[in-house]
Amino acid sequence: MGRFSLEQSWEILKTYFQSGESSTQTVRNLRKKFDKKDVPKTQFVDQFVKRVRETGSLLNKTTRVRTRPVRSTENIAAVAQSVREQPSTSTRHRSQELNISRTSLRRILHKDLGMNAYKVQLVQELKPHDHLMRFRFAQWAEDRLIEDEHFYRKIIFSDEAHFHLGGYVNKQNCRIWGSENPHVIVEKPMHPQRVTVWCGFWSGGIIGPFFFENEQGNAVTVSGDRYRAMLSNFLFPKIEEDDIDDIWFQQDGATCHTANVTIDLLRTVFENRIISRNADVNWPPRSCDLTPLDFFLWGAVKDKCYAKHPETIDDLKHEIEVAIDEIEAQTIENVLKNWTDRMEYCKASRGSHLNDVVFHS
C-alpha cells in the first residue's frame, strides 16, 4: 500500500465513494485518471479502504513494536543454569522448559555460551582384571617397539566378523517427507542371512577374506576343526607363498582359537611368536580397541559394502572382497602406526579406556 502518494491515495478514496463504494467500479473510473501502470487492483482498493476506516489515516504507517530480545541477559543466565543442572537434556525439552524457541536456544548455547553438543561414546566394558592385562600387553608392545621401531610391521592381526545381508536400518536417520504418513515399513527377517569372514591384517596387506561356509555356501559356526582347517588350507599357504618369516600372529580368546591343539598347530609356523590366550604373549580380553580389525577394518568394509545394497549372499561376498581390495597400502601403514599410538595411550592409562583416542577431535 506504500507505492501511492498522498494525493493518489486521496483520489482512490474519493473515487471509491463516488463509485457507490464498489471496488470494481472504482478501478474502472481510476483508469481514466491514473496511468495504466498505476491503476490499483480491486483487492488493493478493498484493503486500502478497510485500513483507512480502521486508522483514520491515508498514510500507511506501520507501528513498530519493540519486543524483548530472546537472547537477553536473563535468558542466557537461565540457559546456563539449566545446562549446569541437566547437561544431557535435549534442546526440544529444554526449549519447552524455558519457553524459548529451539532456534534461539541453539544460538544462546553456541554463540553466547560457546557450547557444543557431544555424543556419548560406546566402548567395550572392562572387567576389574582386564586393566592389568591390557597394561602388561601395552608395556610388552612398547618394549618391542623400543628394540625395533618397525616391530608393528611384524604382526599379523586376525579376527572374524559377521556381515548380515541387508545391513541395518537406522530409523533415526530415515525420514520420509510428505503431507500424509505413507506408513512405510521395512521387513526384517528374524534370522537374517549372513556371512562369517576371517581376515589377517598386517603391513604386507590384508590376508583374506576367508568365508566360513559349508558346501552349499551357507555360513557356519567357527568351530575348532573349521578354524584349524582355515589355518592349514588358507593362511599357512599364503604365508609360504609370500615367504613371510619371523612374523608374530595375534588372535583373540575365542575357544576355537585357544584350544591346545590349535596352539600346537600355530606353533608349527609361528613357533614362539603367538599373541593369544594360552600362548607366548597374553592377548588381553575385551580389547577390541587394540586390534586394527576391530577399530578400523570391519567398520570400513561394512561402510563400503552396505552402501552398494547387496541383495544376495553372493553380492554381499563380492562387495566385501571389493571393499577389502580397495584398501591401499598407505592406509594400512597409517592404521598400524595408529596401533602404536594406542599402545602408548593404553600404557599411560594403566590399561583403562583410550580416552585420548575415543575423544580425539
Side-chain angles (χ1 to χ4, degrees):
M1 296 182 186
R3 67 186 180 94
F4 294 102
S5 66
L6 181 61
E7 291 77 9
Q8 288 175 320
S9 298
W10 168 249
E11 190 63 38
I12 293 171
L13 185 64
K14 181 176 69 173
T15 304
Y16 175 78
F17 287 104
Q18 290 174 345
S19 304
E21 301 186 17
S22 169
S23 300
T24 303
Q25 189 60 42
T26 301
V27 172
R28 290 174 183 169
N29 294 335
L30 287 173
R31 288 173 183 165
K32 303 174 185 178
K33 302 177 180 180
F34 287 9
D35 291 338
K36 186 177 180 180
K37 62 179 180 179
D38 291 333
V39 176
K41 297 184 180 301
T42 56
Q43 183 180 6
F44 172 87
V45 174
D46 289 335
Q47 294 176 350
F48 171 71
V49 173
K50 179 181 177 182
R51 178 177 58 79
V52 171
R53 283 173 170 162
E54 291 176 350
T55 64
S57 173
L58 293 175
L59 300 177
N60 184 17
K61 294 182 179 179
T62 303
T63 303
R64 301 182 61 181
V65 179
R66 294 181 61 85
T67 58
R68 180 186 177 190
V70 177
R71 289 167 59 190
S72 63
T73 304
E74 294 81 2
N75 283 344
I76 294 173
V79 172
Q81 181 178 353
S82 174
V83 173
R84 284 195 298 270
E85 294 175 351
Q86 296 176 311
S88 61
T89 299
S90 67
T91 55
R92 182 185 302 276
H93 290 159
R94 202 183 304 280
S95 68
Q96 293 172 351
E97 292 174 356
L98 300 175
N99 195 25
I100 300 175
S101 70
R102 292 179 71 184
T103 301
S104 298
L105 176 62
R106 291 193 184 100
R107 287 174 180 167
I108 291 174
L109 289 169
H110 291 306
K111 296 184 178 182
D112 297 311
L113 298 178
M115 294 183 177
N116 295 295
Y118 296 98
K119 292 182 179 180
V120 173
Q121 299 293 331
L122 300 179
V123 296
Q124 174 70 54
E125 178 189 13
L126 295 178
K127 303 296 183 182
H129 296 295
D130 293 345
H131 297 79
L132 179 59
M133 295 185 66
R134 286 162 59 87
F135 171 74
R136 287 176 175 173
F137 176 76
Q139 190 172 41
W140 172 83
E142 284 272 279
D143 291 344
R144 301 291 79 74
L145 288 166
I146 292 174
E147 296 172 0
D148 179 2
E149 63 176 344
H150 295 138
F151 176 72
Y152 65 91
R153 295 178 178 173
K154 299 179 180 179
I155 305 175
I156 296 177
F157 296 91
S158 71
D159 196 15
E160 299 95 8
H162 299 305
F163 286 69
H164 291 85
L165 187 62
Y168 61 90
V169 175
N170 185 343
K171 295 186 295 181
Q172 296 301 319
N173 293 333
C174 183
R175 296 287 186 272
I176 300 175
W177 291 89
S179 57
E180 296 181 359
N181 187 344
H183 300 290
V184 174
I185 63 174
V186 177
E187 293 186 351
K188 301 290 290 184
M190 182 175 293
H191 303 291
Q193 289 181 286
R194 72 180 187 186
V195 296
T196 301
V197 187
W198 178 93
C199 280
F201 189 101
W202 78 298
S203 61
I206 298 175
I207 304 173
F210 177 88
F211 299 100
F212 283 96
E213 56 190 16
N214 57 23
E215 296 179 355
Q216 290 73 39
N218 298 321
V220 294
T221 304
V222 185
S223 64
D225 289 338
R226 289 170 180 146
Y227 184 69
R228 289 187 289 274
M230 183 277 296
L231 293 175
S232 299
N233 302 326
F234 180 77
L235 176 60
F236 293 171
K238 290 281 187 182
I239 292 177
E240 184 176 353
E241 176 185 335
D242 295 338
D243 194 24
I244 301 173
D245 192 21
D246 193 28
I247 199 81
W248 287 74
F249 181 77
Q250 177 274 336
Q251 61 181 6
D252 63 24
T255 304
C256 61
H257 298 168
T258 59
N260 290 335
V261 62
T262 303
I263 298 297
D264 290 341
L265 177 61
L266 286 169
R267 289 198 186 284
T268 63
V269 173
F270 300 104
E271 300 177 350
N272 61 344
R273 300 182 301 276
I274 303 173
I275 304 171
S276 170
R277 184 165 59 86
N278 298 338
D280 307 290
V281 176
N282 270 326
W283 175 255
R286 291 168 286 278
S287 294
C288 52
D289 55 342
L290 301 184
T291 170
L293 292 102
D294 277 322
F295 70 71
F296 166 73
L297 182 64
W298 299 135
V301 173
K302 288 182 178 181
D303 284 345
K304 288 186 177 181
C305 73
Y306 285 141
K308 300 297 181 65
H309 304 291
E311 297 181 356
T312 67
I313 287 295
D314 287 339
D315 291 341
L316 178 58
K317 290 165 62 176
H318 173 72
E319 295 300 339
I320 292 172
E321 291 170 341
V322 170
I324 290 176
D325 186 59
E326 290 178 347
I327 297 176
E328 299 178 351
Q330 185 58 54
T331 300
I332 294 175
E333 174 72 9
N334 293 340
V335 171
L336 291 173
K337 286 183 176 178
N338 179 264
W339 177 80
T340 66
D341 293 337
R342 287 170 182 258
M343 294 301 100
E344 181 180 348
Y345 294 140
C346 185
K347 181 181 176 182
S349 67
R350 306 294 295 183
S352 297
H353 292 298
L354 310 183
N355 290 344
D356 289 331
V357 174
V358 172
F359 297 108
H360 178 67
S361 57

